[in-house]
Amino acid sequence: MKKLYIIIAIFGFTFFSIQSTYAQSKSKNVKENVYKISKTKTPQKVKEALKDYSGYKIYEKATYTKNSKGNVYRFKVQKGNWSHYLLIHENGKIIGIETGEHSSS
């Protein structure tokens, strides 16, 4: 009976160890193409989303990347001494803000 508990413990330990190794994903080396665009040539919904940032200086030059869900536009905005990048989906939804704190440069 004691051997049975030892065997069950070993199988349990092995099962949970293997499960955690499958949970880790390998980094995908996906190359994204970045395209340049100006603020005036962006879609109307993106321009409407930028109106929420009227107190900020929004730079005229912008970039966008194409992915399977649509284009994501990246604008540099500045207020005072602080600047960051604003990520906006082509449907006008603000996806996020890049502050540059976690960049790997």
Side-chain angles (χ1 to χ4, degrees):
M1 192 68 172
K2 199 173 191 180
K3 291 181 182 181
L4 181 64
Y5 287 133
I6 293 173
I7 292 173
I8 291 174
I10 290 172
F11 281 124
F13 180 74
T14 306
F15 173 75
F16 287 116
S17 298
I18 291 173
Q19 185 178 8
S20 65
T21 59
Y22 285 118
Q24 298 173 357
S25 63
K26 296 181 181 179
S27 62
K28 296 179 181 177
N29 193 4
V30 178
K31 184 177 180 182
E32 287 186 343
N33 289 331
V34 178
Y35 302 97
K36 294 181 182 180
I37 194 168
S38 66
K39 185 172 72 172
T40 56
K41 294 182 182 179
T42 57
Q44 186 63 31
K45 290 183 178 182
V46 174
K47 292 177 189 174
E48 291 173 3
L50 286 172
K51 290 179 184 177
D52 293 339
Y53 287 84
S54 61
Y56 290 77
K57 177 185 176 187
I58 302 171
Y59 287 79
E60 183 64 29
K61 294 180 181 178
T63 59
Y64 71 96
T65 56
K66 293 181 180 181
N67 59 19
S68 61
K69 297 179 183 177
N71 296 340
V72 177
Y73 294 87
R74 185 174 183 246
F75 292 92
K76 184 175 183 179
V77 295
Q78 181 177 3
K79 189 169 191 177
N81 293 335
W82 303 98
S83 65
H84 56 273
Y85 291 95
L86 191 63
L87 302 173
I88 304 174
H89 192 269
E90 67 182 350
N91 63 7
K93 182 179 178 185
I94 297 175
I95 297 175
I97 297 173
E98 288 182 0
T99 59
E101 292 178 2
H102 302 289
S103 67
S104 60
S105 56

